[in-house]
Amino acid sequence: MARPAVADRKPIQANAADHVDAYSIDEFCARHRISPQLFYKLKPQGLMPLTFSVGTRVLISREAADAWRRARENAAQQPPVRFCDDLARAPSFPQSKNRKTT
């Protein structure tokens, strides 16, 4: 049986926001379907586009958004790094002799 469509998801419509020169953080997040919380979580890690300030507003240029999308697409093409592979290569540490076992 087919799953019903998600009713609360709104389709992305082409409008004037497609031709703006800069996006607010909320506009950028809505356009890329990410939450503002995720944006602020990943920004200190350098995984979000460059921003600039105009007065008290923080904006993202269209070019920075394009560069961010290209970088994310290129990163997706790289083979994933598996954590368990790193553990296999990590040196093992001897157990402490002072540790009591029960």
Side-chain angles (χ1 to χ4, degrees), residues 18-30:
D18 292 335
H19 304 291
V20 296
D21 290 328
Y23 305 105
S24 69
I25 299 226
D26 287 338
E27 290 170 338
F28 174 83
C29 291

Side-chain angles (χ1 to χ4, degrees), residues 59-82:
L59 300 173
I60 300 166
S61 70
R62 183 175 48 198
E63 294 81 7
D66 291 341
W68 175 79
R69 279 192 302 277
R70 282 191 303 276
R72 296 294 82 212
E73 290 169 358
N74 291 338
Q77 301 300 321
Q78 301 298 321
V81 175
R82 294 179 7 175

